Amino acid sequence: MRINRKLLLFLTIFFAFVYVVNVSAQSGKTVLTLDDYGRWNRIASASISPDGNWITYGYNPNEGDVTFFIENLNTDEVIEVSCGSRPVFSDNSQWVAYIVSPPESEAEKLRKENKPVKNTAELRNLSTGDIHTFDNASSISFSKDSIHFIVKKPKSDPDAKHNGTDLILYNLGTGFYENIGNVGDFQLNESGKLLAYTIDAAEKTGNGMCIINLTNGLRQVLDSGNSDYARLSWSKDGTALGVLSGRENEGFTQKDNILIIVTGLSEDKQTIIKYNPSKDSYFPSNMVLSEKASITWSEDNSRIFFGIKEQEKEPEESKDPVANVDVWHWKDEQIQSVQMRRANSDRNFTYRAVLNINNLRFVKLTDEKMRSITLSQDGKWGIGQDRTPYQTDVSWSGSQADYYLVDLSNGGRKLIVKTLGRSMGLSPDSKWFLYLKDKQLWVYNIQSGETTNLSKSATVSFVNEDDDHPYEKPSYGLAGWTKDGTAVLVNHKFDIWSLPLGGGIAKNITGGMGEKEQIRFRYVRTDPEERFIDTLNPLLLSAYGEWTKKSGYYSLRIGDVPQNLIFEDKSIGRPTKAKYADKFMFTMQTFVDFPNYYVSDAVFTNPRLVTDANPQQAEYVWGRRMLIDYKNNNNVKLQATLTLPAGYEYGKKYPMLVYFYEKMSSRHHQYSMPTYDDRPHMSTYASDGYLVLMPDIVYTTGKPGSSALDCVTNAVQRVIELGYADPEHIGIQGHSWGGYETSFILTHTDMFACVVTGAPVTNLVSFYNELYKSSGSNQHGIMESGQVRMGINPWEDLKLYQSQSPVHQAENITTPYLILHGTDDGSVDWHQGLEFYNTGRRLGKEVILLSYP
């Protein structure tokens, strides 16, 4: 829901009870206001060169155009580019390319005039500073060997039936340009030495599939014809190609495609195979090869995978009026609104199939019951899922299915496990399938067909018991599979465990330090292409303090205790590693410190600040945060993060805003970015002399409102007891789920001076049968087992639903309240806000509804 500045200003005034800011302790600084928000920048386009010597970043302001920077980390040279974005470094770090867009004011004018907004590509030599400009660029890329730069241009006529455009091939060494016209799709192979592309020209003139050897410049047409070529795909080793070639079939909805396979491309021993499904008796007669699905290869190039789809006749034209009734039938697997929302994806749905290249045997892998399959890395097996026995409107998270092992050579299926809701995936070596069931971790041996309980020898549970939804609780997740193939590393709440795949004794590889120190350790993958965890090398672990909110990174050599690299009272972001150097780029933030970027070596020695996106913050008074410990009525230990106002004076009581959702204390070190939206900004309130409290909430099934009331009021009472808050001047605001909680609290306490509730659920009885318009689904799942956590339907316990509904408790309201809601809200129907307004109005309560289109 969009919201305007007037509303934000209104909300600020709404909470401004009687206090005036005292900023004498920070003389010369001003209070942050809405008018200042335009000065704040976010950081975009952050990247580091493969050699770790250059970085890029852009300052993207709330108002105005982005400024893009390229910085040399060795010399501190900074290059500034207006409106730059989408940077790409060459693999040898000698070049950087990026897109330059017109200023937003110019772009907006062009859009209003229905004219194309054209972007420019700039290619910069990082050694010489020379710049090459390519007008009207759509995409940019480098070959892996850093010899060629490729620019693809957009369609000049968006209404043209063909998609081919110019492709510029630029040799970085010689400076030689080559313009290839009417290129539809293009792909470089793994080595970057072979460029394959399709031609998609007007009237299909010269259409085909071609290849260029970028080493010697030789070009070859692999196939041509009056057809459309689609889904170009290299094999993983870059020696074979696949593509679909097809024509429109008059009177039918789908193209008639054939599959073209070219092998031996790297050895100049090319073999071209054309598979025509119409000549294969095993291929379903009512189906076609479909360009709506991707083409992939097995690792050994023996199999190629693709999608097939039903061929249907075009509907006959009729002069009769088109029926305008939607039929909602009780036997539908999905309700009509879901069908309508998913109509386009259903029209494009394809079944997965495989062609065994050696004998050209076709095998259909999925069908109406088993609609999805996960393929093993080696392309020999698949894990198929049949969800049809468990389709229900109430499913929420971890929806169940029967899982089958599928032999990709012949399509044969073997049941692995029934009624599984928590799959954890295939191993990268294609030998194991891991899953959680009955609170245990099980592994299925694909070769032997045996299933082993891996977690029975561990002294801890790998199930997230803190998840308080009434469904099968998930695991804490998978760290990865060991390189030697003997174990899988899995997460405990705090530690990481090694579970031998043969079913041996489980081992805590972090030595119990996580549990002892209440630090959550997780493995960090710094190489995006990594498939296995090499346990012979030190492992990088992220670390997060459960109660301190500290974060950082540790190093672990298995057999030793984790070693602290950096662990600070800040939120430290995930590091990006330079591809060929031991250099990291990462953010650090607190409530006071914007998440600027730092660079360091691989052990985080002396992190160096490299961005300064918001220096203007020093002109304003700013608050700070502290943690508050408290308990709810069930004696559960909880935390809240409390923002102290600028110039806080010990012993003085301040007005306070309370904002919440579920668990908020994890945001303790989150920077409060001034920006235009519909949530309160903690930095603004703190600058203006307010406390801001964000407490944690835990839930009891069937009592979501009561749980929020319990946890929030106990948190507020604790802050009052500690002497921070003025009990006469406390306001609350929540949005969406937080709006429901806020509305419920409003009906059960007079603790608050005023309430703002945004897009709230207010009547659980009516909400149960409303639609989640974004997806078309009804609210049954989110009500019973999802976020609302009722655990039961309203016909089984109507009084319970009414007891947790703000509308049914509205006679108790004694506090003025403001509702914000959008008429097209895709999550919570606008009528929920309207119900609460009409109820309050009828009962004579002080209520305002701000309704937005």
Side-chain angles (χ1 to χ4, degrees), residues 7-33:
L7 173 58
L8 289 172
L9 185 58
F10 175 85
L11 294 179
T12 304
I13 296 172
F14 190 76
F15 280 111
F17 309 106
V18 293
Y19 283 83
V20 177
V21 180
N22 178 1
V23 296
S24 58
Q26 300 188 51
S27 177
K29 297 185 178 183
T30 59
V31 174
L32 180 65
T33 70

Side-chain angles (χ1 to χ4, degrees), residues 144 187-192 194 232-242 262-263 265-266 295-305 352 357 374-381 408 426-430 529 531:
K144 189 174 181 178
Q187 283 191 17
L188 288 159
N189 72 344
E190 173 64 19
S191 68
L194 297 177
L232 186 68
S233 175
W234 280 104
S235 62
K236 293 178 182 178
D237 64 0
T239 65
L241 269 174
V262 186
T263 62
L265 287 168
S266 64
I295 294 175
T296 58
W297 292 78
S298 63
E299 284 185 326
D300 63 0
N301 296 348
S302 66
R303 296 189 176 107
I304 189 166
F305 304 92
R352 208 65 180 154
I357 295 175
T374 302
L375 305 178
S376 62
Q377 293 273 359
D378 63 8
K380 296 179 180 179
W381 307 95
L408 301 185
L426 276 161
S427 63
D429 62 7
S430 308
E529 297 181 2
R531 294 172 58 191

Side-chain angles (χ1 to χ4, degrees), residues 331-383:
K331 287 187 177 181
D332 288 345
E333 290 182 355
Q334 298 172 334
I335 63 173
Q336 183 68 13
S337 53
V338 173
Q339 296 178 48
M340 294 165 68
R341 278 288 181 181
R342 299 182 182 177
N344 191 54
S345 61
D346 287 344
R347 279 192 290 268
N348 292 323
F349 176 79
T350 61
Y351 296 100
R352 208 65 180 154
V354 61
L355 185 70
N356 293 276
I357 295 175
N358 294 335
N359 56 13
L360 295 186
R361 181 177 180 180
F362 165 86
V363 180
K364 184 183 178 186
L365 300 176
T366 60
D367 54 31
E368 290 77 7
K369 286 189 174 182
M370 185 186 294
R371 290 171 66 89
S372 63
I373 188 171
T374 302
L375 305 178
S376 62
Q377 293 273 359
D378 63 8
K380 296 179 180 179
W381 307 95
I383 304 293

Side-chain angles (χ1 to χ4, degrees), residues 43-301:
I43 296 180
S45 302
S47 66
I48 187 166
S49 63
D51 65 3
N53 292 329
W54 295 84
I55 61 167
T56 67
Y57 51 92
Y59 292 163
N60 192 0
N62 288 330
E63 294 178 347
D65 297 309
V66 64
T67 303
F68 177 69
F69 300 93
I70 306 163
E71 180 171 347
N72 187 316
L73 296 175
N74 297 321
T75 66
D76 295 331
E77 174 193 5
V78 178
I79 301 163
E80 183 175 324
V81 180
S82 179
C83 300
S85 65
R86 295 159 54 187
V88 183
F89 284 103
S90 64
D91 206 54
N92 63 4
S93 301
Q94 293 181 9
W95 303 82
V96 66
Y98 44 88
I99 295 293
V100 178
S101 304
E104 183 55 33
S105 58
E106 180 181 328
E108 182 63 24
K109 180 181 178 182
L110 290 170
R111 285 190 286 265
K112 288 181 178 179
E113 296 173 353
N114 292 320
K115 295 180 179 179
V117 179
K118 296 182 179 181
N119 298 323
T120 300
E122 286 189 0
L123 172 67
R124 184 180 293 265
N125 187 316
L126 292 172
S127 298
T128 66
D130 292 342
I131 299 174
H132 302 272
T133 301
F134 302 82
D135 294 331
N136 198 19
S138 175
S139 69
I140 54 177
S141 56
F142 289 98
S143 62
K144 189 174 181 178
D145 57 12
S146 302
I147 294 177
H148 288 88
F149 177 61
I150 303 171
V151 178
K152 182 77 157 55
K153 299 207 169 189
K155 291 175 67 172
S156 57
D157 180 4
D159 297 325
K161 292 183 179 181
H162 70 286
N163 294 312
T165 65
D166 287 351
L167 183 140
I168 308 299
L169 191 61
Y170 177 70
N171 189 302
L172 298 170
T174 65
F176 177 74
Y177 288 84
E178 182 176 4
N179 187 346
I180 306 172
N182 295 314
V183 173
D185 188 15
F186 73 96
Q187 283 191 17
L188 288 159
N189 72 344
E190 173 64 19
S191 68
K193 298 184 182 302
L194 297 177
L195 173 68
Y197 61 95
T198 61
I199 297 297
D200 187 2
E203 309 299 330
K204 306 187 189 311
T205 304
N207 276 12
M209 176 176 64
C210 306
I211 188 170
I212 298 178
N213 186 321
L214 297 180
T215 302
N216 55 29
L218 293 179
R219 183 183 308 186
Q220 182 180 359
V221 177
L222 298 176
D223 192 76
S224 63
N226 190 26
S227 302
D228 295 315
Y229 291 79
R231 293 295 182 178
L232 186 68
S233 175
W234 280 104
S235 62
K236 293 178 182 178
D237 64 0
T239 65
L241 269 174
V243 74
L244 294 177
S245 173
R247 296 183 175 92
E248 301 284 353
N249 190 339
E250 187 175 354
F252 291 88
T253 59
Q254 307 299 322
K255 291 180 182 178
D256 281 335
N257 287 308
I258 66 170
L259 174 64
I260 301 175
I261 301 166
V262 186
T263 62
L265 287 168
S266 64
E267 303 172 357
D268 292 328
K269 298 179 181 178
Q270 298 170 10
T271 300
I272 299 179
I273 301 170
K274 294 187 178 182
Y275 173 71
N276 188 338
S278 65
K279 298 180 179 180
D280 185 351
S281 60
Y282 290 98
F283 193 91
S285 59
N286 63 330
M287 305 188 89
V288 295
L289 296 175
S290 177
E291 71 280 1
K292 299 181 186 298
S294 60
I295 294 175
T296 58
W297 292 78
S298 63
E299 284 185 326
D300 63 0
N301 296 348

